[in-house]
Amino acid sequence: DQQVKQNSPSLSVQEGRISILNCDYTNSMFDYFLWYKKYPAEGPTFLISISSIKDKNEDGRFTVFLNKSAKHLSLHIVPSQPGDSAVYFCAASAGGTSYGKLTFGQGTILTVHP
Amino acid sequence: DGGITQSPKYLFRKEGQNVTLSCEQNLNHDAMYWYRQDPGQGLRLIYYSQIVNDFQKGDIAEGYSVSREKKESFPLTVTSAQKNPTAFYLCASSPETGFMSYEQYFGPGTRLTVT
């Protein structure tokens, strides 16, 4: 049972344009969501997060949107740069006994062409 | 520099042998985690520990064992009972308390190949 899904395995974007990466979840107990970026043969690095009490969080070129009713979040990268090419994972966490545990999606490979 | 180290980066073993993957952190984090990543899949949680001398099974703990004798160290043993041990293994840590505890910091990973 995949509780966090990234339905697009890959995304290709031209440099300077917007990249939109999507993530859907099924567990209504999730209350905190994160995006990680991963280069091959390296560990993921934290990018941006959002709490369920918000619907938007911005950090420079990165913005995460959360639609709780649709159980959907998205990561917008504007403008996209070739250095953004990597695998992007969304992750979610619930409170209670699951405090601190993250459930990850399958990842989306983003390629930004010069 | 504070961070998480995993060694070695690449590890090769024969089928039927146990192997232990190292994970050390100097971030003074209470919680530590082990994940595995397979091609085309997300990270799946193997074991996690929120405090020294305590750990819990994650989603795919069968065939693995861990120990947490020191705050800085969380070694993972891949036993011969693990049916598909070849994978990329990632260790992570996070502060246990407070809002930031959701954000996990990852090591560089160990690629284990069992033949």
Side-chain angles (χ1 to χ4, degrees):
Chain A
D1 176 27
Q2 188 94 32
Q3 296 187 63
V4 178
K5 291 183 183 178
Q6 294 175 256
N7 291 317
S8 298
S10 63
L11 175 68
S12 185
V13 170
Q14 206 67 30
E15 182 179 5
R17 306 294 291 266
I18 184 171
S19 296
I20 300 176
L21 297 99
N22 294 303
C23 181
D24 297 296
Y25 62 96
T26 56
N27 188 344
S28 57
M29 298 301 292
F30 287 146
D31 60 1
Y32 196 73
F33 304 88
L34 307 90
W35 284 95
Y36 281 84
K37 176 179 177 180
K38 184 182 180 301
Y39 293 115
E42 293 184 11
T45 55
F46 169 73
L47 201 54
I48 192 169
S49 62
I50 188 166
S51 164
S52 59
I53 62 173
K54 295 185 174 182
D55 54 19
K56 177 182 172 182
N57 188 27
E58 276 183 271
D59 185 1
R61 296 186 296 115
F62 303 92
T63 303
V64 56
F65 295 92
L66 176 62
N67 183 335
K68 288 190 291 292
S69 60
K71 292 191 176 67
H72 176 83
L73 67 154
S74 60
L75 174 69
H76 292 211
I77 306 174
V78 182
S80 302
Q81 299 173 354
D84 296 328
S85 298
V87 181
Y88 288 79
F89 290 98
C90 67
S93 184
T97 56
S98 298
Y99 190 77
K101 282 180 60 179
L102 296 180
T103 301
F104 285 83
Q106 311 96 305
T108 297
I109 301 170
L110 173 66
T111 304
V112 180
H113 299 283
Chain B
D1 272 12
I4 301 177
T5 55
Q6 291 184 246
S7 59
K9 193 163 181 65
Y10 299 95
L11 192 54
F12 298 88
R13 280 293 183 270
K14 294 288 187 186
E15 195 174 318
Q17 292 179 333
N18 290 356
V19 59
T20 297
L21 281 60
S22 164
C23 177
E24 304 278 331
Q25 55 100 357
N26 60 5
L27 299 166
N28 199 33
H29 286 170
D30 292 297
M32 297 186 75
Y33 309 81
W34 273 105
Y35 296 88
R36 71 175 272 169
Q37 185 192 11
D38 296 283
Q41 295 198 38
L43 281 66
R44 292 184 290 166
L45 183 65
I46 304 172
Y47 266 99
Y48 66 105
S49 167
Q50 293 172 311
I51 196 168
V52 173
N53 291 323
D54 187 43
F55 47 83
Q56 286 79 40
K57 291 181 179 179
D59 301 318
I60 53 164
E62 187 175 347
Y64 299 98
S65 66
V66 292
S67 63
R68 187 83 188 278
E69 296 175 1
K70 297 187 299 181
K71 188 175 184 177
E72 305 79 23
S73 178
F74 191 41
L76 173 75
T77 297
V78 184
T79 75
S80 55
Q82 167 50 232
K83 292 183 175 28
N84 296 298
T86 294
F88 188 53
Y89 289 87
L90 287 157
C91 178
S93 70
S94 69
E96 172 55 11
T97 57
F99 193 67
M100 295 293 287
S101 66
Y102 287 114
E103 295 172 17
Q104 296 180 12
Y105 299 78
F106 285 83
T110 292
R111 180 161 297 282
L112 173 65
T113 303
V114 177
T115 57

